[in-house]
Amino acid sequence: MLVTFHSKAWSSITMFGDVAVTLLKMAGHSGTIPSAMHAADIPPALARLKQALAAAGPEAARKPSGRPGDEDADTPVALRLRAYPLIQLLSAAAEQECDVTWETGAPLV
């Protein structure tokens, strides 16, 4: 599942559903999709998200197990890095006092 976030303050962003739900819960939201956040609720949610990401600490990089072919295995992308576009969107929405909505699916082109 994909989740797309929208705000008048920033371009729409799309991320994997499990990551989106995790980040929404870290921000203090229920993780319900579809849903929205009013402009007044965004600054405290953004602060909670940043605090939760900082408390999570650096994720350990996955090391090859030594099995044949494992040395080419992809290293997972850290949650902090996946959160960056959402943090940018929320920051812009807080600055411009805009609501944020999200829904399942990719944006229409």
Side-chain angles (χ1 to χ4, degrees):
M1 164 179 69
L2 295 175
V3 176
T4 301
F5 292 84
H6 307 277
S7 175
K8 291 180 181 178
W10 198 258
S11 297
S12 296
I13 62 165
T14 302
M15 58 179 51
F16 291 114
D18 59 335
V19 175
V21 169
T22 298
L23 295 175
L24 287 168
K25 288 182 177 182
M26 291 173 99
H29 192 274
S30 66
T32 303
I33 302 168
S35 193
M37 201 178 299
H38 293 288
D41 299 328
I42 293 172
L46 181 58
R48 282 191 297 271
L49 176 59
K50 288 180 178 180
Q51 184 178 14
L53 287 168
E59 284 110 346
R62 193 174 132 229
K63 296 187 170 86
S65 66
R67 290 178 289 199
D70 195 31
E71 61 277 353
D72 294 331
D74 292 334
T75 302
V77 177
L79 187 59
R80 247 180 244 224
L81 189 56
R82 291 183 186 268
Y84 184 76
L86 182 59
I87 290 171
Q88 294 296 94
L89 181 141
L90 292 173
S91 297
E95 185 178 310
Q96 296 181 30
E97 299 179 359
C98 294
D99 297 337
V100 174
T101 62
W102 54 91
E103 61 192 3
T104 57
L108 299 174
V109 179

